[in-house]
Amino acid sequence: MRAFVVAVFAFLYLPIALVVLFSFNAGHHASEFTGFSVQWYGKALSNPFLVEALKNSLFIATTSALLAAFCGTAAALGLQRVGARTRALFDALLGAAIVVPGVVIGISTLVALVQLFAVVNPFLASLWPTDQPPRLSLGYGSIIAAHGLFSMALVTMIVGTRLSSLDRNLVEASSDLYATPLTTFRSIVLPQIMPAVIAGFLLAFTFSFDDFIIAFFVAGAQTTLPIYVFASIRRGVTPEINAIATIVLCASVLLVLLAQWQLGRRKPSP
Amino acid sequence: MSETGYKPKPDNATGGLSSAGSQPAFPMRGSLFRKNLVTTLLLAPAALWLVVFLVLPFIAIAIFSVGERAPEGGYQAALTFAQYANLPARATAFWNTMVLAPIGALACLLVAYPVAYYLALRAPQRWRLILLAMIVIPFWTSLLMRTYAWMYILGGRGIPALLAYVGIEDLRLINTPGAVLLGIVYGYLPLMILPIYVSLERLDRRLLEASADLGATPLSTFLGVTLRLSLPGVMTGFSLVMILLLGEYLIPTLLGGGKVFFIGNALVDLFLQSRNWPFGSAIAITLVLVSVVVLIVANRISTRLSGARRVDLI
């Protein structure tokens, strides 16, 4: 059984290791390692399209994860204060936001936004005094919103789990000692849920940064890093992609480890 | 390591998502009005988000699915079930998905169970968390990049080129159903291992001892106790992987090379290329309905099993 488990771990990690190894390959081919070189990193980072896509992805991931962390935490706090029926409704919707396949989220958001824009844009144009009215279109905003949906549900879940294991005696003690609700929140609740909020943010960032399928539908004219990589892969495998993949994989692993570490922190010092 | 590092388990939806506990962690004194106002303000952004980007879009594709394709592509209002009647036009995509998704989930399960079992019951304590983290990490790293790795390995300059050295020529690995299946197992293994691990980890070890003390062989202890009690976790993992596979696009595209078409491929084609939005919407609605059926069946089985468990133990 141990041999089997070792084999499974090898199965999980060898392909990734191979991509990393060949990103340092001097030659072109996967079948032969012809020498150590970082030329593909140089090539990748001097490719303006790629750098643009990377910047877009970083911006989108940061914004959607921040929004998700705020709204998700607020929702987790709010859900503690409502009746069972409201909570069940929220739970069902949040569960749906996580479980519904990305491809469905992508197309339904696309359809709804295109219809919305078809109504809003002529309306804006009729109101606008000059000839160049603002036009809503797919782009940063739609990707951020669609990514944020999954991320917010994720943060709500992670923070909600932490809240339900919160030491309620401290909260009671605090209010018995005449702390205002806000003070209680700031000095008792917030420090205890902060690791969960940070972990939620990091996982939300990772999700958004890695997502391909949702962005593929709602990106409009924008390009994110996964969309760029997907398009280049379809054109043919080049070692340049190995270099990008290595950078992305390292970033993801780092973020997930950070999130794990935050979640593992049980109680911060008071 | 926390149990929240992966997607939630549908059979545990109430426990997983709700913040149980009768007392709020953020108590408010003061007027009822103020209390309600704060609650509303806390929930409003999330509620708005869910309505605008989940509920309304879903209603939109439901409406589109009974519409007609406009001559230049897109949507034209109508009330017809022609799109649904037309579903057999994409029978190949449905067939591929409906065959490869369960097979893929089953293959995942067969690989995942021993790993979860080892992690939960056999692994040395100090290694357990590290190994578990090593399962979680691939799950959160880009599926695109991980699938790409296999394109590289299975592609003409990967394994086939190596095998050519030892005389096996013209081996075709990529762009086959087998490659897609491999990609599925590789991509979704972590999602299958985690819920099974959680259910095995919660297992009361005394039951195993009791079973052995009562003269059961290791095999019958495994079948009657361990496997039985971990079935809810198995069902959770299986249904989650199944549902995500039903909407999979990247793996069949990159490893199936246009030869193995999934429903996801049909949807991308209909929405981004041929712009037949009503037909695409009908397919998407069907996909969601199938997912719901999978969830309900899995939930039913889980409930029945845990019900049976309770009777057995008394």
Side-chain angles (χ1 to χ4, degrees), chain A residues 121-141:
Chain A
N121 279 334
F123 180 68
L124 276 177
S126 70
L127 286 182
W128 213 249
T130 64
D131 275 350
Q132 299 248 284
R135 274 181 64 84
L136 297 177
S137 62
L138 297 168
Y140 289 129

Side-chain angles (χ1 to χ4, degrees), chain A residues 1-2 11-13 31 80-81 91 107-108 145 148 166 168 172 179 189 206 210 226 233 237 242 256 260, chain B residues 1 17-18 23 25-26 28-29 35 39 49 53 57 118 134 136 140 142 144 148 151-152 157 186 284:
Chain A
M1 173 172 260
R2 253 177 89 176
F11 172 66
L12 279 177
Y13 280 89
S31 45
Q80 295 221 313
R81 304 152 56 88
D91 283 349
I107 58 174
S108 57
L166 197 74
R168 265 148 231 292
E172 268 172 48
V189 180
T206 315
D210 287 344
I233 289 175
V237 171
N242 290 339
V256 177
Q260 298 279 359
Chain B
M1 180 74 49
L17 283 173
S18 69
Q23 260 186 320
F26 184 16
M28 286 296 289
R29 279 176 298 194
K35 194 174 162 174
T39 309
W49 210 326
F53 290 101
Y118 181 82
M134 284 178 69
V136 175
W140 283 104
S142 163
L144 173 64
Y148 160 74
M151 266 182 92
Y152 206 55
R157 288 171 180 150
Y186 185 68

Side-chain angles (χ1 to χ4, degrees), chain A residues 50-127:
Chain A
L50 204 155
V51 173
E52 177 69 24
L54 178 65
K55 278 186 194 155
N56 285 344
S57 274
L58 285 173
F59 172 72
I60 289 164
T62 310
T63 317
S64 75
L66 272 178
L67 281 171
F70 274 108
C71 300
T73 306
L77 288 167
L79 280 178
Q80 295 221 313
R81 304 152 56 88
V82 297
R85 210 177 286 172
T86 316
R87 190 184 292 167
L89 178 67
F90 258 90
D91 283 349
L93 287 176
L94 292 168
I98 289 180
V99 166
V100 171
V103 69
V104 175
I105 297 279
I107 58 174
S108 57
T109 312
L110 170 73
V111 164
L113 286 179
V114 166
Q115 287 307 101
L116 185 72
F117 296 157
V119 175
V120 171
N121 279 334
F123 180 68
L124 276 177
S126 70
L127 286 182

Side-chain angles (χ1 to χ4, degrees), chain B residues 93-116:
Chain B
F94 272 98
W95 172 254
N96 283 338
T97 312
M98 293 302 177
V99 170
L100 279 175
I103 293 179
L106 196 67
C108 255
L109 174 63
L110 292 179
V111 180
Y113 199 93
V115 178

Side-chain angles (χ1 to χ4, degrees), chain B residues 95-173:
Chain B
W95 172 254
N96 283 338
T97 312
M98 293 302 177
V99 170
L100 279 175
I103 293 179
L106 196 67
C108 255
L109 174 63
L110 292 179
V111 180
Y113 199 93
V115 178
Y117 183 88
Y118 181 82
L119 285 182
L121 299 170
R122 291 276 186 277
Q125 190 66 46
R126 65 204 162 90
W127 276 93
R128 188 170 297 167
L129 289 186
I130 297 169
L131 291 176
L132 203 58
M134 284 178 69
I135 298 287
V136 175
I137 286 167
F139 178 63
W140 283 104
T141 48
S142 163
L143 182 64
L144 173 64
M145 303 301 178
R146 290 188 296 135
T147 308
Y148 160 74
W150 280 104
M151 266 182 92
Y152 206 55
I153 294 170
L154 300 178
R157 288 171 180 150
I159 291 180
L162 288 178
L163 288 179
Y165 284 122
V166 294
I168 304 169
E169 301 279 351
D170 287 337
L171 185 70
R172 188 158 188 80
L173 293 175

Side-chain angles (χ1 to χ4, degrees), chain A residues 18-29 32-44 239-240 242-244 246, chain B residues 152:
Chain A
L18 212 69
V19 168
V20 174
L21 176 70
F22 275 92
S23 73
F24 294 108
N25 189 5
H28 257 284
H29 300 325
E32 46 195 3
F33 193 86
T34 46
F36 182 86
S37 155
V38 290
Q39 59 157 327
W40 301 113
Y41 287 86
K43 286 219 169 97
E240 199 182 314
N242 290 339
I244 311 165
T246 303
Chain B
Y152 206 55

